[in-house]
Amino acid sequence: MNIGGTMATFVPGQAVRVNLEGIQVGAVLFHAAVNAAVGHIVRQTVVDPPKYLVKLLFSFRGVSEVEVTEDRISAA
């Protein structure tokens, strides 16, 4: 997938694991235990540095999507 002239590492629909440790989304603060949340890439949101919107397989206190940097994502 080519976005803004650079190759995206992850593609929409791809299954991934996301390290959410220390990230706050709204009122939810993810602790160290949430270091391998399973989800799917929705889309790349920022090119530099690369960020992706990820739809989580499970909702955490109502949070089912997170935007994270590429370094927090690994292929599942």
Side-chain angles (χ1 to χ4, degrees):
M1 175 179 215
N2 190 316
I3 297 177
T6 62
M7 284 304 276
T9 304
F10 300 103
V11 296
Q14 182 177 355
V16 293
R17 293 190 184 276
V18 184
N19 179 353
L20 299 176
E21 180 179 343
I23 291 179
Q24 183 152 359
V25 179
V28 178
L29 174 61
F30 293 97
H31 296 284
V34 190
N35 57 17
V38 178
H40 290 90
I41 298 292
V42 175
R43 68 179 179 278
Q44 186 171 4
T45 57
V46 178
V47 174
D48 189 22
K51 283 188 175 181
Y52 293 85
L53 182 64
V54 177
K55 173 80 172 169
L56 301 172
L57 186 59
F58 297 101
S59 174
F60 295 91
R61 291 188 176 182
V63 174
S64 61
E65 290 186 340
V66 293
E67 183 180 30
V68 294
T69 55
E70 183 176 66
D71 63 333
R72 289 184 168 267
I73 304 171
S74 60

